[in-house]
Amino acid sequence: MHRVFSTRRLPEATVAYLKNHVELDIWDGTKRPTFEQLVERAQTADGIITSGISIDDALLSKLPNLKCVSTSSVGYDHFDTAAMRRHGVIGTHTPGVLDETVADLTFTLMLAAARRVVEMDAIVRQGKWHGKPENFYFGVDVHHRTLGIIGMGRIGEAVARRAALGFGMDVLYHNRTRKPEVEQRFGLEYTSFEDLLRRADFVVLLTPLTEETRGLMNQAAFDLMKSSAIFVNVSRGLTVDEDALYNALKNGSIRAAGLDVFREEPTPVSNPLLQLDNVVVLPHIGSATQTTRDDMAMLAAKNVVAVLEGRASDAKVISELRDLVKEC
Ligand code: DGY
């Protein structure tokens, strides 16, 4: 029987599924396993289920049996895909099952930043509701404004649908490849990165973290945005230059931001962004609902089992390593 080590606890149904197919070992520490602990526990493993743990050459060199690493996330910037290729290890992820949940969270941040929900909540709790001029409480509208989506994958589509059909927004997007069918379905306008930044009232970043997108939102990008615009990041923290974002928010070159992700996670309380009233912050909870996390865990389990049983074409193999499947 194949052996699978999970670096994280799994829902009951996923454990039951895995036990029917593989010999399962689950890390039950409160913190993530260290490199040494991972090497020790996964020593004979054919497959690993994880999320966020770095899968690199140093680790792969110590795990000669390994055939598959299955991440319970759609993002896989913690995979060194070149090293995985060299070691012949297939990587899988969980696209599809989290799209609507992450799109909900994207809108949560847009609405919260626009209507200053966190600031207003604090005012009520601190007994400061009275005695202010009426316009003290004003925010800005989301409906019928212009949304710019950077990164038009499945989550981008789910955000665009909410924006166009629910909120009557004009939606611009920028993506490596054009999506004419999606454009037509929701009336989207494809445009350049720079044009999107200049025209959008809300700029939503949904790109994966790659060498191309690292630091994409830098000072030059924030300088292009309207001073009334709101920036929302639900991708990865490293797609944004946080110092440039801080300056843009502090000096009023953009209005506000909603952030689910940070350069370093958990972000330290000393992060200057946390001092600003015009920022809404969340602890990377884009996909964090019970149903969605259960679905992601089950898909991660099915992926690793499919690869180990020689049915890799049934698994959600990451695009960079799909050609390895043909060689299996
Ligand atoms: C993912 O799946 O990559 C998300 O960031 C997790 O919330």
Side-chain angles (χ1 to χ4, degrees), residues 91-247:
T92 64
H93 65 146
T94 60
V97 291
L98 73 175
D99 304 344
E100 300 296 332
T101 300
V102 178
D104 282 352
L105 199 277
T106 305
F107 256 85
T108 304
L109 282 172
M110 286 166 58
L111 290 161
R115 299 301 297 270
R116 303 164 60 208
V117 168
V118 176
E119 255 183 289
M120 294 298 138
D121 176 279
I123 281 169
V124 176
R125 288 172 196 273
Q126 292 163 9
K128 297 179 182 165
W129 187 345
H130 296 293
K132 296 194 167 52
E134 188 191 29
N135 66 0
F136 174 83
Y137 305 96
F138 289 178
V140 292
D141 286 327
V142 175
H143 68 90
H144 297 97
R145 306 298 290 275
T146 299
L147 170 64
I149 301 176
I150 303 169
M152 187 50 67
R154 288 167 300 262
I155 298 170
E157 271 184 50
V159 171
R161 174 164 27 84
R162 283 161 175 73
L165 306 185
F167 285 75
M169 300 179 89
D170 290 327
V171 185
L172 314 172
Y173 80 102
H174 181 72
N175 196 49
R176 265 185 317 183
T177 50
R178 264 186 92 154
K179 303 266 179 92
E181 192 271 324
V182 184
E183 279 172 37
Q184 214 170 16
R185 192 152 23 112
F186 303 123
L188 315 187
E189 179 184 337
Y190 179 80
T191 191
S192 69
F193 178 61
E194 290 77 13
D195 185 58
L196 180 150
L197 294 176
R198 279 191 202 100
R199 291 166 58 199
D201 298 309
F202 292 83
V203 172
V204 168
L205 191 56
L206 289 168
T207 53
L209 174 64
T210 64
E211 281 320 306
E212 278 172 353
T213 62
R214 188 177 293 269
L216 181 70
M217 289 303 296
N218 54 19
Q219 187 179 332
F222 290 118
D223 283 350
L224 288 177
M225 287 174 63
K226 297 182 192 179
S227 58
S228 56
I230 292 177
F231 173 69
V232 169
N233 190 10
V234 193
S235 65
R236 286 292 183 265
L238 288 169
T239 53
V240 173
D241 175 342
E242 278 188 8
D243 300 331
L245 173 60
Y246 175 82
N247 290 333

Side-chain angles (χ1 to χ4, degrees), residues 11 19 26 36 39-40 44 61 77 88 90 139 158 163 180 197 207 211 228 245 260 274 283 307 327:
K19 284 188 169 165
I26 301 178
E36 288 74 24
V39 168
E40 190 192 331
T44 58
S61 308
D77 41 284
I90 288 178
L197 294 176
T207 53
E211 281 320 306
S228 56
L245 173 60
D260 187 39
L274 308 189
V307 172
E327 295 165 18

Side-chain angles (χ1 to χ4, degrees), residues 72-75 94 98 102 234-236 284-288 293 296:
S72 191
S73 61
V74 67
T94 60
L98 73 175
V102 178
V234 193
S235 65
R236 286 292 183 265
H284 198 152
I285 54 164
S287 62
R293 286 288 170 87
M296 290 164 75

